Amino acid sequence: MQALEVPVFEGGAVARRMTRAEYDRLVELGFYQDERVELIHGIVVRMAPIGPLHSEVIDRLNLLLIRALGDRARVRVQNPTLADDESEPQPDFAIVPLKSYAKGHPAEAYFVIEVADSSLGYDRKTKAPLYAASGVPEYWIVDVKGKAIEVYSAPSAGLYAEMRRVELDGTMSPAAFPDFVVGVASLFD
């Protein structure tokens, strides 16, 4: 898993990583309430702003996912998931087992989706290894600018062993729900 670099300051002082429990406590106390942040490898990371095209793709995917999977899985939109003791990412979508998460965020997912407008490199280099190490069997990145979906699967040793790119004229189905078919073009104008 590719960890984020911890800043080293003048004189050799090193920033301290935060645990997920510490982060959750700060959130509980009201910290970060006016910020879009997530905990990645012990570092509180500001999330990229959401533009209109990103929002439109989220809305379209949300409608498709809820209609197709609403009775079979929970479709969590931009909510935390548990990855490890130092990470609590907030993917655009986490498709998780159908149960209540009132007492804790889900620790498993059927698949996770990130919609990448300005965050494509981050989603590939930081988020993909994090999800693979967490055992997420399938990870999609919707490349907004490239109008395609990258599908990562077969997690092993903190990396996905397989990746395929589905272009604008293609269709896609998650392994956990093969009857759910997404036409890439349906996500874009």
Side-chain angles (χ1 to χ4, degrees):
M1 175 173 1
Q2 181 180 358
L4 297 175
E5 279 190 41
V6 176
V8 177
F9 301 97
E10 190 173 327
V14 179
R16 176 190 171 283
R17 289 188 187 276
M18 182 183 305
T19 67
R20 194 179 69 236
E22 292 167 329
Y23 173 76
D24 287 344
R25 181 70 178 131
L26 289 173
V27 169
E28 210 175 278
L29 292 171
F31 285 74
Y32 313 120
Q33 64 186 9
D34 295 328
E35 296 180 76
R36 290 190 68 241
V37 297
E38 61 187 346
L39 184 68
I40 305 294
H41 302 300
I43 297 173
V44 177
V45 177
R46 280 195 179 112
M47 297 171 69
I50 298 175
L53 186 52
H54 185 277
S55 294
E56 181 64 18
V57 172
I58 294 285
D59 288 346
R60 290 179 187 199
L61 262 173
N62 190 40
L63 188 59
L64 292 171
L65 289 163
I66 292 291
R67 283 181 176 164
L69 306 177
D71 293 335
R72 300 184 284 167
R74 284 286 289 271
V75 177
R76 291 177 52 98
V77 183
Q78 298 175 337
N79 285 326
T81 59
L82 303 180
D84 59 30
D85 288 339
E86 289 190 330
S87 298
E88 193 173 290
Q90 293 185 37
D92 287 312
F93 293 96
I95 312 310
V96 300
L98 192 59
K99 63 181 184 179
S100 173
Y101 295 99
K103 294 184 180 180
H105 300 303
E108 63 179 313
Y110 297 116
F111 65 106
V112 169
I113 304 171
E114 293 285 3
V115 176
D117 190 359
S118 61
S119 63
L120 186 58
Y122 178 70
D123 291 336
R124 284 175 177 159
K125 294 178 183 170
T126 301
K127 290 281 194 89
L130 179 63
Y131 294 136
S134 300
V136 175
E138 190 168 271
Y139 170 49
W140 296 7
I141 299 175
V142 178
D143 176 0
V144 172
K145 290 179 181 166
K147 294 186 177 180
I149 299 175
E150 295 180 359
V151 181
Y152 296 81
S153 58
S156 176
L159 296 172
Y160 285 104
E162 298 175 17
M163 191 283 268
R164 66 186 171 102
R165 186 173 169 90
V166 183
E167 300 295 336
L168 190 61
D169 60 347
T171 60
M172 195 35 252
S173 292
F177 303 97
D179 60 314
F180 170 52
V181 179
V182 176
V184 177
S186 71
L187 303 179
F188 304 100
D189 285 286

